Amino acid sequence: MKSSILLPNLHLCSQLKLDQILMLRGSQVKKDEKLDDNSLNSSASLMDIVETQVMKHSRALVLLSCDFGTAWNSRKLIVSKKLVFSVLMDELRLSALVLSCSPKSERAWSHRRWVIKMMAGNCSNLQEIVERESELVKTLAESSKMNYRAWNHRCWLVSYMSDSQVLLELQCSRDWAEVHVADNSCFHYRARLLLQMIENLRRNNKRGGLSGAEFHQVWEEELDWVGMLIRRYVGREALWLHRRFLSLVWLKHLASDDQSISCHYCCRSSEICDISTFVKVELMLFSSCTIIPDNEFGDYQAQATYSAAYIMWLAKQMPMSFGVELQKSPQYEMLKPLISDIGKSCLWDSMAGSW
């Protein structure tokens, strides 16, 4: 009851204080040439008092109403005047406190991103701050399931990470993903890390960093790991979507066939770069996922459906290679009934006509 009475007052107070700042700034600009030193000191002192009050009241306001944009913006307005490191760190601590109570507050996450952008130009320990940010997301993701905003913030941080941090994040997030296989946000984060590795390869070609062979090894380990999870955790769509992403990376950056998009980072000593080998591996996975035991659990049916949709997607991406190999394989006859069961027979007809 007390908070409901206090909240409108804080809204009004914060807005009034912000209006005072804007009025003072406007009047100071207009009268700047006419003011003497004493008047300037008095005006500056008054401005400091008002800003202190705004920071005080807005702090209470965001703790009670975490998505009230005026309060956050008033803090940005004041903090941006000086950009003192200690003040920016205070803003990170305040938003962390808000997120501990409201982990899905978009305004709080946005405020953290703004603070980090302000730090990025003149901060010697930015990598340490980014590492702590990633840990914060991990902690909040544990307490708040399916927190898209937190994971989106973590994806945004990737562009500020060093090459070694990107690789470390990929390794460290694996354990979390293994026990949260239904949470697509974590797999999206891993995809973002792999894309950053590709970007770093292009940028670091002449100055070292992760080599093409090392990236290929990382990709192959990710593919094997996801295949293991698909067999272990039946009927999880997030795993199949991540495998689609990995296959797309292979098509664009690793395939050694002439029909592939590019082969800039291919590790030519590996058999998986060969189209026929890749097709065999994926068809073997499809075959193992179409076995539906005679029980009441629907997960096995979902697994077969996801695997069929994945194979059809691959055939569409590579009609002249994967589609032809698929027609020759014994798995071809398994595919049509599964596609028909999910009402996609028209897709089957159109795809089969293009092979």
Side-chain angles (χ1 to χ4, degrees), residues 202 247-264 275 317-318:
R202 291 170 176 166
S247 298
L248 197 58
V249 169
W250 177 81
L251 278 169
K252 289 186 175 182
H253 305 291
L254 297 171
S256 60
D257 190 83
D258 290 339
Q259 296 177 7
S260 64
I261 299 173
S262 63
C263 190
H264 299 304
I275 289 281
Q317 300 300 315
M318 301 183 294

Side-chain angles (χ1 to χ4, degrees), residues 42-60:
S42 176
S43 178
S45 177
L46 180 59
M47 181 72 73
D48 291 339
I49 293 172
V50 173
E51 290 179 353
T52 301
Q53 289 297 311
V54 170
M55 295 295 280
K56 175 184 175 182
H57 289 294
S58 63
R59 177 185 293 269

Side-chain angles (χ1 to χ4, degrees), residues 210-258:
L210 192 72
S211 68
E214 289 171 331
F215 171 74
H216 183 274
Q217 183 179 357
V218 169
W219 172 86
E220 194 167 349
E221 289 174 355
E222 187 81 359
L223 190 74
D224 293 341
W225 173 69
V226 171
M228 178 271 293
L229 292 180
I230 285 173
R231 293 182 177 90
R232 179 182 296 177
Y233 300 102
V234 178
R236 297 297 183 266
E237 187 178 14
L239 299 175
W240 287 102
L241 292 175
H242 191 54
R243 194 167 185 93
R244 283 197 191 194
F245 164 77
L246 294 173
S247 298
L248 197 58
V249 169
W250 177 81
L251 278 169
K252 289 186 175 182
H253 305 291
L254 297 171
S256 60
D257 190 83
D258 290 339

Side-chain angles (χ1 to χ4, degrees), residues 47-280:
M47 181 72 73
D48 291 339
I49 293 172
V50 173
E51 290 179 353
T52 301
Q53 289 297 311
V54 170
M55 295 295 280
K56 175 184 175 182
H57 289 294
S58 63
R59 177 185 293 269
L61 182 57
V62 297
L63 289 172
L64 289 172
S65 180
C66 60
D67 284 322
F68 186 61
T70 302
W72 289 112
N73 290 336
S74 65
R75 299 186 70 84
K76 289 185 179 74
L77 181 64
I78 295 171
V79 171
S80 61
K81 287 176 60 181
K82 299 177 182 178
L83 293 180
V84 179
F85 181 77
S86 59
V87 176
L88 292 171
M89 290 301 297
D90 286 341
E91 292 302 297
L92 288 180
R93 283 188 282 268
L94 173 62
S95 57
L97 180 60
V98 171
L99 289 168
S100 67
C101 301
S102 305
K104 295 184 179 181
S105 170
E106 179 60 33
R107 291 284 186 175
W109 287 115
S110 177
H111 192 70
R112 294 188 77 82
R113 288 192 285 274
W114 178 83
V115 172
I116 293 172
K117 283 181 181 178
M118 295 300 103
M119 287 180 167
N122 302 304
C123 182
S124 58
N125 62 335
L126 182 63
Q127 302 305 319
E128 183 181 341
I129 292 172
V130 169
E131 185 177 346
R132 287 203 297 264
E133 284 292 295
S134 185
E135 284 298 318
L136 175 67
V137 172
K138 181 181 177 182
T139 302
L140 293 176
E142 288 286 353
S143 60
S144 175
K145 294 182 179 180
M146 304 295 181
N147 192 338
Y148 168 78
R149 292 175 178 85
W151 284 104
N152 182 57
H153 179 75
R154 202 175 187 182
C155 288
W156 177 83
L157 289 170
V158 172
S159 60
Y160 290 93
M161 294 180 183
S162 63
D163 292 357
S164 58
Q165 277 185 311
V166 171
L167 186 58
L168 183 62
E169 283 290 313
L170 190 69
Q171 295 169 349
C172 293
S173 61
R174 175 175 288 198
D175 292 339
W176 198 94
E178 286 183 353
V179 294
H180 299 84
V181 291
D183 193 339
N184 187 57
S185 295
C186 183
F187 292 100
H188 179 69
Y189 175 61
R190 295 181 67 81
R192 179 68 184 85
L193 291 168
L194 289 169
L195 289 175
Q196 187 63 38
M197 286 183 180
I198 294 174
E199 183 62 30
N200 291 345
L201 273 173
R202 291 170 176 166
R203 190 173 61 247
N204 297 343
N205 256 347
K206 296 182 179 180
R207 63 179 184 86
L210 192 72
S211 68
E214 289 171 331
F215 171 74
H216 183 274
Q217 183 179 357
V218 169
W219 172 86
E220 194 167 349
E221 289 174 355
E222 187 81 359
L223 190 74
D224 293 341
W225 173 69
V226 171
M228 178 271 293
L229 292 180
I230 285 173
R231 293 182 177 90
R232 179 182 296 177
Y233 300 102
V234 178
R236 297 297 183 266
E237 187 178 14
L239 299 175
W240 287 102
L241 292 175
H242 191 54
R243 194 167 185 93
R244 283 197 191 194
F245 164 77
L246 294 173
S247 298
L248 197 58
V249 169
W250 177 81
L251 278 169
K252 289 186 175 182
H253 305 291
L254 297 171
S256 60
D257 190 83
D258 290 339
Q259 296 177 7
S260 64
I261 299 173
S262 63
C263 190
H264 299 304
Y265 313 119
C266 182
C267 178
R268 299 181 185 276
S269 62
S270 177
E271 294 181 354
I272 199 70
C273 284
D274 180 62
I275 289 281
S276 60
T277 304
F278 178 79
V279 170
K280 289 177 183 177

